Amino acid sequence: MNLLLLEPEDIVGPGRAIVRGRRLSHVQDVHKSEPGDTLRVGELNGLMGEARIIRLDKSELELEYAVTQESPPALPVTVLLALPRPKMLKRTFQALATMGVKRIVLMNTFRVEKSFWQSPWLRPEAIREQLVLGLEQGRDTVLPEVILEKRFKPFVEDRLPVLSQNMRKLVAHPVGGEECPRAINEPAILAIGPEGGFIPYEVERLVEYGFECVHLGSRILRVETAVPVLLSRLF
Ligand code: SAM
């Protein structure tokens, strides 16, 4: 936890907060902080700054803090991710939030297992928890927006054209296409396939809607690896 994120309910007065639960345990057990120590903090969806520990006991961490610093700039990218299996989804949410992605679309594709859509990890509070962990890691306060698209065809035909307007459109696919560009310096939407990959029909539809098919060479990366590799290469 490189930033202690303060939720609205933690804030008990101007520049005062009381934190409990996971963040309290982390400050006690991992940081091994004591009263008088300082911590880096941020208000969720707000500014970042520094806090001083006023009180620390088994049940509460009381902080006095001041926030003046903006969170780091977002990556100008929308990530369109075929829904991965729950274990990978958790890690991928964290990585996306850590790297500064602010819009994530989880979409269905032919090779996404139907049962994944029933996962408890897709509940809003579970998604939020993973995103917060990612923000704390990356020292950012701004929660990404997550959109669930459970049907590929109507999404691609009806909503994707609006969502991807004025963006460079890229679909990562190991077969065919061009080498993935580097440091593109322009807003983009990036589609990443499921564990079994996109089927040809899906790639064709995306290309029809203006997506460029790009590859990262002959090594096939897991989704959780492909995401940071693609983002670091593009931005
Ligand atoms: N056998 C699948 C295939 O051939 O598409 C592999 C899928 S891979 C585990 C999951 C996703 O990560 C892919 O659909 C793609 O979006 C991305 N990916 C992984 N390795 C890649 C590579 N070398 N080039 C481009 N995209 C890659």
Side-chain angles (χ1 to χ4, degrees), residues 111 171-175 191-198 214-223 226-227 230:
R111 292 191 178 130
V171 50
H173 191 51
V175 187
I192 299 162
E195 277 167 273
F198 288 115
V214 297
H215 70 79
L216 291 167
S218 60
R219 292 179 195 275
I220 306 297
L221 308 177
R222 282 177 188 269
V223 174
V227 165
L230 285 158

Side-chain angles (χ1 to χ4, degrees), residues 17 28 39 57 61 78 81-82 103 111 114 127 145 164 201:
Q28 274 180 322
L39 294 172
D57 57 40
L61 163 65
T78 294
L81 188 67
R103 184 183 279 160
R111 292 191 178 130
K114 285 197 173 51
I127 293 178
E145 172 193 15
S164 60
Y201 165 82

Side-chain angles (χ1 to χ4, degrees), residues 187-205:
I189 182 161
L190 170 67
I192 299 162
E195 277 167 273
F198 288 115
I199 59 171
Y201 165 82
E202 291 159 347
V203 177
E204 281 160 23
R205 293 317 304 269

